[in-house]
Amino acid sequence: MFQLDVGVELDFICYDQDGEILDLTNATSAHLFIKRGNEILKRTATLDDDRTTGIITYVITDGDLTVGDLNYQLQVAVDFANGAHISSSIVEAHVAEPLEADYVEV
């Protein structure tokens, strides 16, 4: 991914402790936490229509990837109807500076 990218779809598949796809049928909400530097953003994520797939989706928006040449940390959190709350492992993704950041019109 690159600094200032918008519209990139991130799909996360949730697994349980046994490596099986986590059934999200009773999930009530999902969020993606994005850590860039010392700042942590909380974004609303989407649960797949077929909750048995364990898929949670987030589409990158304008304010998400504002700093380039930085490793971002991503973590999904899910709330369930019974009050349970789970957090995923942290995924690290490098956000590079695009060539256009250094482009000078001549």
Side-chain angles (χ1 to χ4, degrees):
M1 291 185 291
F2 289 91
Q3 178 183 6
L4 304 179
D5 278 356
V6 174
V8 177
E9 181 176 299
L10 304 176
D11 293 322
F12 300 89
I13 301 174
C14 299
Y15 295 92
D16 64 18
Q17 66 275 6
D18 298 322
E20 300 294 323
I21 291 178
L22 185 63
D23 186 342
L24 301 174
T25 298
N26 294 316
T28 57
S29 65
H31 292 90
L32 176 64
F33 289 89
I34 302 170
K35 182 175 183 184
R36 61 175 184 218
N38 294 322
E39 183 179 18
I40 298 176
L41 309 173
K42 181 181 180 183
R43 302 294 195 238
T44 300
T46 304
L47 296 156
D48 194 77
D49 288 338
D50 179 358
R51 304 272 178 99
T52 63
T53 64
I55 297 173
I56 294 172
T57 301
Y58 178 73
V59 178
I60 298 295
T61 63
D62 284 336
D64 295 338
L65 305 179
T66 58
V67 181
D69 197 25
L70 183 70
N71 289 335
Y72 284 57
Q73 293 180 331
L74 310 172
Q75 185 176 42
V76 172
V78 183
D79 292 311
F80 291 86
N82 65 0
H85 175 85
I86 62 166
S87 297
S88 72
S89 300
I90 294 173
V91 176
E92 193 165 279
H94 184 75
V95 174
E97 289 183 354
L99 291 177
E100 67 184 334
D102 293 326
Y103 174 74
V104 177
E105 189 75 37
V106 288

